[in-house]
Amino acid sequence: RVWEIIMRENVMNIGDIEILSISDGKLEFDICEFFPSIPDESWDQYRGHLTEDNKVSFNLASFFLRSDGKNVLVDTGMGPRSPRHPDAPWGELMDDMKRYDINPTDVDLVIMTHAHRDHIGWNLTQENGNSVPTFPNARYCLSYKDWEACHNPDLIRDRFPNAERCVWPLQELGLIDFLDEDTSITSELKAIATPGHTPGHFSIQISSGGETGIILGDVLHNAAQLQEMDWSSRADIDPDLARETRHSIVNLIEANDYKVLAGHLPSPGFGKIIRLNGKRYWQGF
């Protein structure tokens, strides 16, 4: 039922698995704000990866797929718009799901690549002052390292400002399961530790029918980073480790010709990493 009305440009197949890209909207930042250590002129050859007013724009993608008989949602966007920001360019995930005839009750498993605010926002909603799971039939998965990090008083305000509302209550509700390194989530999905952006950041490996793809999470924020692998954003908690991780995972993807699902690259975020004249490029599908 779910797949009968899908617009095919928003679907990618990895073996027998169909992955639908849906979106909570977008975020935009001035490049010098988001990449503060990178001089503006260093972007001259990458202006095509920026908006017309010289900003970095991030799609807020979630990925919906079916594995081992379970409907799986990877990441849940920024969440509902607040009354203070009624015109915010996010808060669209529920509308996008409805557009594809997906009901929140259809979701059996929510996987968080990490606990940053733009990946956990729709986990829970508030009803009469109580936290209620937006996906009432789902279990929620997060790395234990990020669970610890989002409770660290030194990190909460700047790094995990909505974790108290969107992540912490999941334990009280008995809905959260913790992931360790290289955890098999289903027979076709495996969590791969890709730390640095957050301490417990995971990418998700999808393997089916002899094909493999990687949901990157926030290993990359902009396609320019494929050529400038050492560029780290202000959102990376451990920039040095994030660089090391980016090198290793991109090398792995390129060496094995894996398909890539990159939630912050232009919608739908499906593509491959290719090499031309010794340089890496993003080739969107």
Side-chain angles (χ1 to χ4, degrees):
R1 178 180 64 86
V2 169
W3 302 110
E4 289 177 358
I5 63 169
I6 286 173
M7 297 170 62
R8 302 307 298 179
E9 65 267 24
N10 273 34
V11 172
M12 180 169 72
N13 288 78
I14 296 175
D16 297 324
I17 296 181
E18 287 186 309
I19 304 107
L20 169 67
S21 177
I22 51 182
S23 178
D24 195 40
K26 66 179 181 179
L27 288 175
E28 288 188 353
F29 298 97
D30 181 270
I31 54 171
C32 293
E33 177 190 359
F34 197 74
F35 290 95
S37 64
I38 311 304
D40 180 81
E41 58 269 20
S42 296
W43 283 91
D44 285 348
Q45 61 182 310
Y46 306 117
R47 299 295 175 187
H49 297 311
L50 304 176
T51 67
E52 291 183 1
D53 52 355
N54 215 37
K55 293 182 177 181
V56 283
S57 180
F58 304 139
N59 182 31
L60 298 172
S62 299
F63 298 107
F64 184 78
L65 58 97
R66 187 168 180 82
S67 178
D68 287 357
K70 296 179 179 179
N71 290 327
V72 180
L73 182 66
V74 180
D75 290 334
T76 67
M78 283 284 289
R81 298 179 185 91
S82 74
R84 292 176 299 170
H85 302 97
D87 299 321
W90 63 78
E92 301 174 3
L93 186 62
M94 294 299 105
D95 290 336
D96 215 24
M97 289 177 65
K98 186 176 181 180
R99 178 177 169 228
Y100 293 108
D101 197 29
I102 303 170
N103 193 290
T105 58
D106 294 332
V107 178
D108 300 305
L109 182 63
V110 173
I111 302 172
M112 294 164 269
T113 57
H114 60 296
H116 274 168
R117 64 179 185 140
D118 55 323
H119 295 258
I120 62 173
W122 281 103
N123 285 350
L124 298 159
T125 50
Q126 300 299 310
E127 293 184 9
N128 301 318
N130 297 315
S131 296
V132 177
T134 306
F135 310 99
N137 296 323
R139 302 290 302 174
Y140 290 73
C141 293
L142 177 70
S143 71
Y144 190 72
K145 288 182 179 178
D146 260 27
W147 173 259
E148 291 183 317
C150 78
H151 284 79
N152 183 335
D154 296 331
L155 296 176
I156 291 172
R157 189 187 66 159
D158 294 332
R159 301 296 189 172
F160 303 105
N162 63 340
E164 182 176 5
R165 184 178 73 255
C166 298
V167 176
W168 296 4
L170 292 171
Q171 188 177 54
E172 300 166 15
L173 294 167
L175 297 175
I176 194 164
D177 298 312
F178 297 116
L179 303 174
D180 295 317
E181 293 187 14
D182 298 329
T183 301
S184 290
I185 302 170
T186 72
S187 65
E188 300 157 313
L189 305 180
K190 184 169 75 170
I192 299 174
T194 47
H197 182 64
T198 65
H201 184 282
F202 275 105
S203 300
I204 308 300
Q205 179 176 302
I206 305 170
S207 301
S208 172
E211 288 191 304
T212 300
I214 303 284
I215 299 176
L216 275 182
D218 281 12
V219 173
L220 288 175
H221 287 90
N222 188 278
Q225 288 176 288
L226 288 173
Q227 294 181 46
E228 304 290 350
M229 296 278 283
D230 291 331
W231 285 11
S232 286
S233 77
R234 66 174 175 85
D236 293 334
I237 292 177
D238 185 336
D240 290 337
L241 183 55
R243 292 185 194 101
E244 181 181 326
T245 289
R246 188 157 43 252
H247 280 277
S248 63
I249 195 72
V250 169
N251 286 341
L252 175 71
I253 289 167
E254 185 182 27
N256 292 280
D257 198 30
Y258 289 160
K259 293 179 177 178
V260 179
L261 302 89
H264 285 322
L265 296 193
S267 181
F270 302 146
K272 299 190 85 170
I273 295 170
I274 63 171
R275 190 179 283 266
L276 293 172
N277 300 321
K279 294 183 178 181
R280 292 189 177 103
Y281 295 90
W282 174 250
Q283 183 181 65
F285 292 164

